[in-house]
Amino acid sequence: MRPPVQRYRNILDFALSSLLRRKGRNLALICVYTLVVFVLASLVFFVQALKREARELLVHAPDMVVQRMVAGRHDPMPAAQAEAIRAIRGVEEVQPRLWGYYYDPVYGGNLTLMATSDTALAADSVWIGQGVARTMRVQEGDMISLRGYAGLPTLFTVQKVLPEASELVSSDLILMSPRDVRSLFNLPEGLATDLAVTAGNPRELPTIAAKIVERFPDTRPILKSEILRTYEAIFDWRGGLMVVVFASAVLSFIIFAWDKATGLSAEERKEIGILKSIGWESADVLLLKFWEGAVVSLTAFLGGVLLAYAHVFFFSATLFEHALKGWSVLFPRYRLVPALDGYQLTVLFFLTVLPYTAATLVPIWRAATVDPDAAMRS
Amino acid sequence: MIQLAQVVKTYQAGLATPFTAVDGVSLDIPAGKLTVLKGPSGSGKTTLLTLIGCMARPTSGRIHLHGLPAGTLLQLAEGDSLEITSLPERFLTAIRRRTFGFIFQQFNLVRGISVLENVMLPTYPTGEDRRFVEARAIERLEGLGLSRHLHASVDRLSGGEAQRVAIARALINDPAVVIADEPTAHLDSRLSEEFMDLMGQFKAAGRTLLIASHDPIVYGSPLADAVVEMRDGRIVAGP
């Protein structure tokens, strides 16, 4: 082996044996450090995975939704306006949609009721999301009761429980026929909740939206990109909220690490003096301490990232789900698609490993650059 | 040979309470001989050893080393001379590593690691192949009767054993000069005599020995070729 390589190896070996010599202190440091990386990495992975999930789910959403506004609030709109909007150049399809919210006083949850024209759905039957099935403790073939606008209960047969893969958006969903939605909410024929608009060329959407507002001033077009942006803002906000919650833990770690990193014990100082007196240069001592810091921070980084990966992608971020998935009674239960983003990992690395390694080197540099006899006498 | 000319070492120079530990010392230390620095605590012996051993720089004065080994960073030929006081740290370290072996009063072994690793420590930054270093370290330790303790932690050694480990470590790079600071301070008379016997062997092998001590077993030893007496940082009696 070439001398420079062997030199690095020798010093790395000694760094590892030095870490083992102070294993109690170093293990405590690695545990706390790992915990901080785990929390931060979990948040980053989870928020990014949710945003990615939302993006993928919205691929099949309509390009634009047009709602009617009355006194600044969303109001049912005439389904006939669909024809007028379809006539706008660039519009490919306009689909009136029927949906609404239903508060279930028994389970204390808000459900989303939506009409589907899928012919597979039988009359007086519903398809329900996983969250609804869990909360109401029902399965396919069971009956559920929903109270209509007049307070009278209506019975529906659960024909299907929607697949787990779509749970992020379908957890609280109940799909039923348009006729059932109208009768439950007392929505007259000819009115729709909103209109789903599809454009031939998505680049024309802002122009189409402007034309719709010009022609129907009481409407509000909402673009898919705006929905996506809102989702991302919500997830970012929730992630930020969690960071604030964990800020005290992060701060405690910073104080702990700073104290450990910047304060050299008398024993460490003496050891540096011994090493210098027996022929080690300042650069050798710095390399030794760099290895020690790097081993601690890289171990904590890898441990924290791996734990966070398992936590988010295998255990659906159990620790953070209440804060990050929503505040509803019907928490969606789903498994995110495992994926790692190099950019996120790099940012995490720079935020956790580099500051620690740099902080350890400052006091070492101060101790290592004095004459060996001074380091030994101090 | 090592030559010192008007060497002064002042700590905290320029501050309110400067302290001159070595005050205008001029001395010739012959090669292959045993020179003893004698004097009470605080007389400047240890400071003088650290200056000669390139562990610190004098405040003023010159130190010349003659007969240096070839191949240091300065690309010296075998036997070249060098004035060391103005050299940068890197060169001082290279000279210290190849020329001097130190035996400290407190032994200064690194706690928590094995005897063998302690002895090998000085060679780590050289990048020398570990197998050769290990073989040499074992040979040195066996020569000093420590073959039973190769893998024992240094924390478990007796004073005499710890000192022999320190001696093995001082010899690992095969230095021309062995410097010992109060080597018998923590040893009883029998172990002190044994230590001097070892010094006799090193001297017979052609090494230059420089020992600071106020132990009569050391400065009264027939092995001592020169005894230099120091007090208050100055030489008060000498060769």
Side-chain angles (χ1 to χ4, degrees):
Chain A
M1 201 178 286
R2 288 166 48 234
V5 178
Q6 185 66 48
R7 171 179 171 258
Y8 280 106
R9 215 192 113 180
N10 289 343
I11 294 177
L12 175 60
D13 281 351
F14 186 57
L16 292 174
S17 99
S18 292
L19 286 173
L20 285 176
R21 267 187 296 149
R22 291 181 272 268
K23 53 178 172 284
R25 199 175 73 156
N26 287 314
L27 264 178
L29 178 65
I30 288 175
C31 286
V32 179
Y33 200 160
T34 304
L35 184 69
V36 170
V37 175
F38 164 74
V39 169
L40 289 175
S42 290
L43 285 172
V44 170
F45 289 165
F46 194 46
V47 168
Q48 292 300 320
L50 280 178
K51 284 156 82 171
R52 191 174 49 239
E53 200 87 355
R55 270 197 302 274
E56 282 171 14
L57 285 166
L58 284 173
V59 165
H60 303 294
D63 295 334
M64 186 198 303
V65 171
V66 181
Q67 296 176 338
R68 181 176 174 229
M69 306 298 289
V70 172
R73 296 179 68 83
H74 177 201
D75 208 59
M77 67 189 301
Q81 279 182 355
E83 290 309 313
I85 290 173
R86 193 176 289 125
I88 294 172
R89 186 188 295 272
V91 173
E92 198 172 81
E93 193 191 344
V94 182
Q95 188 67 46
R97 299 196 306 180
L98 271 178
W99 59 273
Y101 295 122
Y102 176 87
Y103 177 70
D104 191 318
V106 179
Y107 304 104
N110 262 316
L111 309 178
T112 305
L113 266 58
M114 199 164 193
T116 175
S117 47
D118 196 320
T119 51
L121 179 64
D124 300 325
S125 296
V126 289
W127 293 348
I128 60 173
Q130 298 268 348
V132 180
R134 264 197 312 273
T135 309
M136 294 188 170
R137 293 175 186 174
V138 291
Q139 53 191 356
E140 285 173 16
D142 289 350
M143 306 282 280
I144 60 169
S145 165
L146 301 174
R147 288 159 74 94
Y149 71 99
L152 296 172
T154 311
L155 282 174
F156 295 94
T157 307
V158 177
Q159 189 185 343
K160 181 163 93 175
V161 178
L162 295 167
E164 204 176 332
S166 67
E167 194 174 343
L168 184 60
V169 287
S170 72
S171 178
D172 64 346
L173 188 66
I174 297 182
L175 289 175
M176 53 178 63
S177 70
R179 182 181 62 85
D180 290 337
V181 175
R182 286 187 194 285
S183 86
L184 210 62
F185 290 140
N186 191 27
L187 273 173
E189 284 291 339
L191 281 183
T193 312
D194 54 25
L195 303 177
V197 179
T198 310
N201 180 2
R203 285 185 184 179
E204 290 179 351
L205 282 168
T207 315
I208 295 169
K211 285 182 179 171
I212 292 172
V213 173
E214 192 182 352
R215 198 162 301 176
F216 305 104
D218 62 342
T219 58
R220 176 176 69 172
I222 303 167
L223 302 184
K224 184 159 73 175
S225 59
E226 288 171 343
I227 298 172
L228 190 62
R229 207 165 54 231
T230 308
Y231 271 130
E232 293 197 345
I234 287 171
F235 292 140
D236 278 342
W237 176 69
R238 288 180 181 176
L241 196 75
M242 292 297 286
V243 168
V244 172
V245 170
F246 285 107
S248 58
V250 173
L251 207 64
S252 309
F253 168 71
I254 290 169
I255 293 166
F256 175 60
W258 183 258
D259 181 52
K260 193 267 168 197
T262 54
L264 274 184
S265 65
E267 196 186 332
E268 277 179 293
R269 212 174 280 275
K270 185 175 181 191
E271 205 171 292
I272 290 172
I274 294 173
L275 293 175
K276 289 201 74 176
S277 69
I278 60 173
W280 285 48
E281 280 181 47
S282 299
D284 302 323
V285 175
L286 283 172
L287 183 63
L288 168 72
K289 295 297 173 182
F290 169 79
W291 278 134
E292 283 184 19
V295 168
V296 167
S297 47
L298 283 175
T299 306
F301 179 75
L302 284 176
V305 165
L306 287 175
L307 284 175
Y309 186 89
H311 173 228
V312 171
F313 298 117
F314 297 134
F315 297 101
S316 299
T318 323
L319 296 177
F320 306 141
E321 67 176 356
H322 288 245
L324 289 172
K325 285 183 185 174
W327 284 284
S328 165
V329 171
L330 307 179
F331 286 114
R333 221 181 260 176
Y334 53 88
R335 191 170 278 189
L336 292 162
V337 181
L340 277 186
D341 184 337
Y343 174 73
Q344 291 167 25
L345 282 178
T346 311
V347 170
L348 261 178
F349 182 84
F350 276 95
L351 282 178
T352 53
V353 174
L354 280 195
Y356 177 80
T357 310
T360 54
L361 285 183
V362 174
I364 304 291
W365 179 80
R366 281 210 296 263
T369 49
V370 297
D371 287 334
D373 75 321
M376 283 177 65
R377 283 171 201 263
S378 63
Chain B
M1 185 165 73
I2 302 164
Q3 277 184 314
L4 289 82
Q6 287 302 312
V7 170
V8 175
K9 178 66 179 178
T10 303
Y11 291 103
Q12 300 187 349
L15 298 178
T17 53
F19 171 68
T20 300
V22 173
D23 192 1
V25 169
S26 297
L27 179 66
D28 287 352
I29 298 164
K33 305 286 185 189
L34 193 161
T35 302
V36 179
L37 300 178
K38 172 190 168 191
S41 291
S43 59
K45 305 186 299 290
T46 300
T47 304
L48 194 59
L49 290 185
T50 62
L51 296 174
I52 294 168
C54 304
M55 286 169 71
R57 289 188 184 82
T59 310
S60 65
R62 293 281 178 265
I63 300 173
H64 290 269
L65 300 181
H66 301 288
L68 285 165
T72 58
L73 276 177
L74 294 160
Q75 298 183 335
L76 296 166
E78 189 71 35
D80 270 359
S81 299
L82 198 63
E83 199 287 300
I84 59 169
T85 51
S86 53
L87 290 176
E89 191 218 329
R90 199 167 171 219
F91 296 106
L92 286 178
T93 306
I95 293 169
R96 189 162 70 237
R97 193 185 287 155
R98 292 179 59 87
T99 309
F100 297 103
F102 291 90
I103 301 163
F104 301 95
Q105 183 177 354
Q106 306 286 347
F107 313 137
N108 284 340
L109 299 174
V110 176
R111 295 164 61 89
I113 58 173
S114 71
V115 165
L116 188 60
E117 199 171 2
N118 256 291
V119 175
M120 290 165 67
L121 259 184
T123 66
Y124 285 178
T126 64
E128 195 179 341
D129 194 310
R130 246 180 123 98
R131 287 169 300 177
F132 299 135
V133 173
E134 194 171 319
R136 204 162 68 230
I138 291 171
E139 187 191 320
R140 299 280 191 275
L141 286 165
E142 283 176 348
L144 291 163
L146 288 166
S147 48
R148 279 192 309 123
H149 301 292
L150 291 181
H151 301 290
S153 167
V154 289
D155 305 331
R156 297 177 183 275
L157 300 179
S158 68
E161 288 166 341
Q163 191 191 50
R164 277 182 282 156
V165 175
I167 294 170
R169 186 181 65 184
L171 297 177
I172 191 70
N173 282 329
D174 202 18
V177 183
V178 173
I179 294 177
D181 182 18
E182 299 286 2
T184 58
H186 299 291
L187 305 181
D188 59 23
S189 299
R190 184 181 60 81
L191 289 172
S192 298
E193 295 286 359
E194 281 181 15
F195 173 79
M196 288 312 292
D197 288 345
L198 273 173
M199 292 301 111
Q201 290 172 29
F202 296 163
K203 186 178 157 188
R207 295 185 205 275
T208 303
L209 304 169
L210 181 59
I211 304 175
S213 175
H214 57 262
D215 181 352
I217 293 177
V218 177
Y219 64 74
S221 165
L223 290 167
D225 297 296
V227 177
V228 178
E229 191 169 349
M230 292 187 73
R231 186 172 287 271
D232 300 328
R234 294 182 180 166
I235 294 177
V236 292

